[in-house]
Amino acid sequence: MRSSSNGGAMSGRAPGTFGGVKSSPPPVDKEVDYANYFCTYSFLYHQKDMLSDRVRMDAYYNSIFENKHHFAGKTVLDVGTGSGILAIWSAQAGARKVYAVEATTMADHARALVKANGLEDIVEVIQGSVEDISLPEKVDVIISEWMGYFLLRESMFDSVISARDRWLKPTGVMYPSHARMWLAPIKSTLSERKKNDLDGAMADWDNFSDEIKSYYGVDMSVLTKPFAQEQEKHYIQTAVWNDLNPLQVIGTPTLVKEMDCLTATVSEIEEVRSNVTSVINGHTTLCGFGGWFDVQFRGRKEDPAQQDIELTTAPSERHCTHWGQQVFIMSNPINVEEGDNLNLGLVMSRSKENHRLMEVELSCEIKEASGNPKEAFKKMYFIE
Ligand SMILES: C[S@@+](CC[C@H](N)C(=O)[O-])C[C@H]1O[C@@H](n2cnc3c(N)ncnc32)[C@H](O)[C@@H]1O
């Protein structure tokens, strides 16, 4: 599983607008960030989960060993080396020198693994934030596995951008080189189940409230609305991890973001805005939306990969990744017909309390194939 966060007591203010001027994001409190985010990566069980994801592992392995020309005799920076696996493969593919940077104490395990595999003369493990460390030279390749749920959760790509801008040679190559985010309408029993859970929680609140009144003489009803909002956020508005079957995708998947890792900027990913159209492929029920990503290893234009490799987290009958898909459910599903057009709007930004968590505003206008408007829908979701 990816790193989880409690999304709680983060300091700092949200990026905002004061006097018409857009303010910059608040500085990140490093200690809080470590407690909320990094600490989970210091456990071997967590690294093991990632090392057991065959789709992920095969994609990175093949991207390196089918493109040895990018590594042989070259210098490599592995941003967030974790167990050291990508650094080790880079060295095995012939790299002259690999700088393997890891923020957590996992660096000690990585160092041991490098030594046990006889690569300590090539791979140098450095414990520290990649933003803070210094290298003796610029590198030919930056490799990193930075992707979070729906690509951008965790905001780790910021660190890769920082490393790229400081340490990649002008002729350097990014691994992966490109990334894309996808959104598609889906059908799912999750809608009904989550709605039932929400109804159950509210029925339980009503009983509880009655009991407090009759046993202890206190009227709780003023808290019913905030409790309902809290439960709605928990059961309906929090995106759900799911391993969707492709048959659950009921319309054309739409590309909501595409980026070139060599040129992408933080401001480009701080907020992702997209308006796209999906066409429904049969008479069915729209229960929500699924979001996923893919990344490509294509090298750079002047120095392309010999073998293009792709890592996809799209719904698949055969392969499931630990990222799965993020599902945004609708508590009131809508009947749709073949040819219905969905005009989808997505605004994804960082949570005000924790820049590594995401808030997603989804809107959807449904039109029949004839162009007649059918229904509209808009909701805020949270990727926690
Ligand atoms: C998703 S894991 C990938 C680990 C390993 N590269 C792999 O592919 O199995 C990301 C790793 O990057 C580390 N990391 C995240 N941000 C970092 C930063 N700014 N500086 C150094 N390490 C970082 C985390 O602690 C974590 O171990």
Side-chain angles (χ1 to χ4, degrees):
M1 285 294 117
R2 309 303 297 180
S3 170
S4 61
S5 167
N6 62 20
M10 299 293 292
S11 66
R13 284 179 301 133
T17 310
F18 299 103
V21 179
K22 195 167 189 281
S23 64
S24 34
V28 173
D29 181 324
K30 286 194 176 176
E31 275 181 37
V32 176
D33 198 30
Y34 197 93
N36 281 349
Y37 171 67
F38 284 108
C39 64
T40 52
Y41 281 123
S42 62
F43 291 98
L44 275 171
Y45 81 86
H46 192 69
Q47 298 287 341
K48 177 174 166 282
D49 281 341
M50 294 182 287
L51 297 171
S52 306
D53 180 333
R54 290 295 302 268
V55 176
R56 186 191 92 107
M57 293 292 276
D58 287 357
Y60 272 88
Y61 183 88
N62 292 334
S63 76
I64 296 170
F65 287 99
E66 293 187 24
N67 291 295
K68 281 188 179 172
H69 67 295
H70 278 152
F71 293 85
K74 302 289 177 65
T75 48
V76 179
L77 167 58
D78 177 6
V79 176
T81 201
S83 63
I85 188 77
L86 304 182
I88 288 174
W89 285 341
S90 301
Q92 287 174 340
R96 173 175 66 75
K97 179 79 190 176
V98 184
Y99 300 100
V101 180
E102 170 57 38
T104 73
T105 51
M106 185 53 57
D108 294 334
H109 293 308
R111 212 171 277 118
L113 201 62
V114 164
K115 190 156 187 256
N117 284 275
L119 295 167
E120 70 270 34
D121 291 342
I122 298 169
V123 180
E124 182 177 338
V125 177
I126 304 167
Q127 185 175 350
S129 287
V130 79
E131 289 86 347
D132 300 335
I133 56 106
S134 192
L135 301 179
E137 60 184 327
K138 294 218 171 191
V139 297
D140 300 295
V141 180
I142 287 186
I143 192 164
S144 183
E145 198 280 77
W146 52 266
M147 299 83 73
Y149 293 141
F150 203 17
L151 190 67
L152 295 177
R153 184 186 175 276
E154 297 185 33
S155 298
M156 188 183 155
F157 194 60
D158 292 16
S159 303
V160 177
I161 290 175
S162 153
R164 180 198 69 198
D165 293 350
R166 290 174 69 211
W167 301 113
L168 189 66
K169 288 181 186 171
T171 51
V173 181
M174 297 294 286
Y175 270 67
S177 59
H178 296 81
R180 301 185 297 185
M181 292 165 68
W182 296 88
L183 189 69
I186 60 156
K187 61 180 177 184
S188 169
T189 54
L190 271 173
S191 276
E192 201 184 332
R193 279 188 276 149
K194 293 281 178 181
K195 179 73 168 53
N196 288 342
D197 289 346
L198 175 61
D199 291 346
M202 288 317 296
D204 183 56
W205 170 268
D206 289 342
N207 284 338
F208 155 83
S209 186
D210 288 349
E211 283 181 8
I212 294 282
K213 176 85 176 126
S214 57
Y215 292 143
Y216 303 111
V218 175
D219 180 358
M220 299 291 289
S221 57
V222 69
L223 298 183
T224 300
K225 193 172 166 198
F227 183 77
Q229 285 168 340
E230 187 187 287
Q231 296 300 301
E232 161 92 7
K233 182 176 177 196
H234 177 70
Y235 285 112
I236 309 294
Q237 293 179 275
T238 302
V240 186
W241 185 97
N242 212 226
D243 173 25
L244 291 168
N245 185 292
L247 294 174
Q248 290 178 264
V249 176
I250 60 169
T252 40
T254 58
L255 184 59
V256 292
K257 173 79 185 160
E258 204 168 7
M259 78 187 187
D260 181 340
C261 299
L262 204 52
T263 54
T265 59
V266 173
S267 63
E268 182 188 329
I269 54 172
E270 263 175 344
E271 186 179 89
V272 174
R273 279 180 180 269
S274 181
N275 283 294
V276 285
T277 304
S278 174
V279 183
I280 296 293
N281 57 23
H283 167 76
T284 183
T285 310
L286 172 66
C287 301
F289 300 90
W292 64 86
F293 69 86
D294 52 36
V295 297
Q296 291 75 34
F297 301 84
R298 289 193 222 135
R300 64 185 290 151
K301 213 165 141 212
E302 312 77 13
D303 185 9
Q306 283 169 351
Q307 193 64 49
D308 280 6
I309 301 291
E310 180 173 74
L311 162 54
T312 178
T313 66
S316 161
E317 256 158 30
R318 287 182 303 141
H319 307 295
C320 172
T321 70
H322 75 288
W323 288 284
Q325 296 84 38
Q326 288 290 295
V327 169
F328 309 99
I329 59 168
M330 291 163 64
S331 46
N332 296 308
I334 298 173
N335 289 331
V336 285
E337 304 296 333
E338 179 161 2
D340 280 359
N341 272 283
L342 309 188
N343 291 327
L344 299 173
L346 172 138
V347 183
M348 179 156 138
S349 51
R350 299 175 177 191
S351 151
K352 292 167 187 59
E353 287 78 33
N354 181 341
H355 75 292
R356 296 191 185 274
L357 307 182
M358 300 292 144
E359 299 181 352
V360 181
E361 185 192 270
L362 273 184
S363 57
C364 173
E365 283 173 8
I366 309 176
K367 283 187 184 154
E368 292 170 356
S370 62
N372 285 339
K374 203 168 175 176
E375 290 212 42
F377 158 88
K378 188 174 191 173
K379 207 168 192 67
M380 200 70 206
Y381 294 93
F382 305 92
I383 304 182
E384 308 230 289

